[in-house]
């Protein structure tokens, strides 16, 4: 297609990460490297075919059994509900140990639909969840009580333009932890 080769490469990285999910990792004793990615394709509108590239990768990923897809637009509470619905219990290869995990892949054709920079709770949640720390992620909410996610893991690929990027990523957001976790292509 007319998409730049880099867009196809990083879409492929995201698709492979989505297929692997939390089932593979590099153990660093104090933490695990998992293949979760936050990737944002940036290019001019209607020229670079960003969303065309993403749709191609996600359509391949849809054929992989057990992959759960999250919402492209939501509140952080709805995202947590999607994580809860995605929970699976698997047996790790070479072990009889059962592991519960909540893994989501999200593909977004416009980053602004997914990420509201004014929603600090969502920004903080995305920053925290990227670390993919093994175990149970907990949050106490007055209305709902205790929320627990088992081994949450998020793989995100999104598209935006340079002008929307400038609008949605003000200076204070760029200096925060979320942007250090995003691969901008």
């Amino acid at each position: 297609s007319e998409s730049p080769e880099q867009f196809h490469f990083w879409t492929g990285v995201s698709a492979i990460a989505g297929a692997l999910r939390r089932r593979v990792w590099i153990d660093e004793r104090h933490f695990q490297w998992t293949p979760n990615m936050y990737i944002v394709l940036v290019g001019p509108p209607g020229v670079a075919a960003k969303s065309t590239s993403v749709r191609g990768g996600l359509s391949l990923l849809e054929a992989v059994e057990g992959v759960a897809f999250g919402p492209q637009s939501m509140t952080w509470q709805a995202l947590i509900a999607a994580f809860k619905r995605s929970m699976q219990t698997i047996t790790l290869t070479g072990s009889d140990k059962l592991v519960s995990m909540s893994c989501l892949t999200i593909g977004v054709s416009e980053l602004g639909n997914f990420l509201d920079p004014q929603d600090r709770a969502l920004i903080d949640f995305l920053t925290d969840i990227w670390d993919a720390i093994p175990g149970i992620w907990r949050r106490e909410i007055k209305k709902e009580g205790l929320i627990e996610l088992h081994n949450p893991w998020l793989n995100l690929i999104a598209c935006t333009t340079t002008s929307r990027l400038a609008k949605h990523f003000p200076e204070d957001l760029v200096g925060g932890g979320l942007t250090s976790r995003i691969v901008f292509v």
Side-chain angles (χ1 to χ4, degrees):
S1 79
E2 66 273 11
S3 298
E5 190 175 311
Q6 286 184 322
F7 286 2
H8 291 301
F9 174 82
W10 285 100
T11 298
V13 167
S14 179
I16 291 169
L20 294 174
R21 290 162 279 173
R22 225 196 150 101
R23 296 170 182 243
V24 298
W25 63 88
I26 298 171
D27 191 354
E28 295 289 339
R29 293 190 187 182
H30 300 292
F31 65 95
Q32 293 177 346
W33 284 113
T34 65
N36 61 309
M37 301 295 295
Y38 288 4
I39 299 169
V40 177
L41 306 180
V42 184
V47 177
K50 302 172 294 295
S51 57
T52 302
S53 180
V54 169
R55 276 194 302 274
L58 292 177
S59 68
L60 292 172
L61 189 55
E62 287 171 354
V64 178
E65 185 179 335
V67 173
F69 293 91
Q72 289 92 9
S73 181
M74 79 286 131
T75 62
W76 67 266
Q77 296 95 331
L79 183 55
I80 287 175
F83 270 110
K84 290 175 97 174
R85 286 190 304 273
S86 75
M87 191 169 84
Q88 299 174 346
T89 301
I90 65 163
T91 304
L92 295 177
T93 303
S95 169
D96 292 335
K97 183 179 178 183
L98 292 174
V99 177
S100 296
M101 58 183 66
S102 300
C103 300
L104 285 177
T105 290
I106 300 176
V108 184
S109 61
E110 177 47 60
L111 181 62
N113 291 332
F114 176 79
L115 185 64
D116 176 3
Q118 304 306 315
D119 187 348
R120 292 305 311 174
L122 176 60
I123 299 294
D124 292 344
F125 176 68
L126 292 172
T127 303
D128 193 31
I129 215 74
W130 182 88
D131 294 334
I133 296 170
I136 299 175
W137 182 92
R138 293 178 177 89
R139 184 166 196 161
E140 186 81 27
I141 300 175
K142 181 179 177 181
K143 188 176 183 180
E144 298 179 33
L146 181 64
I147 295 172
E148 294 184 341
L149 300 177
H150 296 262
N151 292 304
W153 180 93
L154 178 61
N155 181 47
L156 171 69
I157 185 162
C159 307
T160 196
T161 63
T162 53
S163 62
R164 298 242 8 200
L165 187 63
K167 178 181 178 184
H168 287 285
F169 279 78
E171 188 175 331
D172 65 321
L173 186 59
V174 172
L178 181 60
T179 55
S180 68
R181 290 160 170 82
I182 298 175
V183 176
F184 291 98
V185 182

